[in-house]
Amino acid sequence: MGLIDSVKATLATPAPKSRPDDGSDGAYWCDGCDVRIRGVDLEGEPVCPDCGAEMRFERSTGRSCAC
């Protein structure tokens, strides 16, 4: 498959379906471990399950979910 055919195939691929609105405003991140937990999936305090460090919250940009 040539370059032109690859580009055509990519453009012909249907767009992914949008996620349902589940109320997620963002995700909690552990910068040391690269662990991410979506805000709606968090139970309790935002601490990393791997290292126990406090996780930072990153909000959605509004265009798409940060999760």
Side-chain angles (χ1 to χ4, degrees):
M1 184 183 291
L3 177 63
I4 303 285
D5 292 330
S6 297
V7 171
K8 284 181 183 178
T10 300
L11 295 174
T13 305
K17 295 179 181 176
S18 62
R19 291 186 184 187
D21 184 17
D22 60 2
S24 179
D25 290 331
Y28 289 91
W29 292 85
C30 176
D31 293 316
C33 299
D34 290 331
V35 172
R36 174 184 61 100
I37 301 174
R38 295 179 64 219
V40 293
D41 296 335
L42 183 69
E43 294 179 10
E45 295 296 316
V47 294
C48 178
D50 292 348
C51 71
E54 186 175 337
M55 300 174 82
R56 68 177 170 84
F57 184 72
E58 184 174 289
R59 295 184 79 55
S60 166
T61 62
R63 290 175 289 162
S64 62
C65 182
C67 311

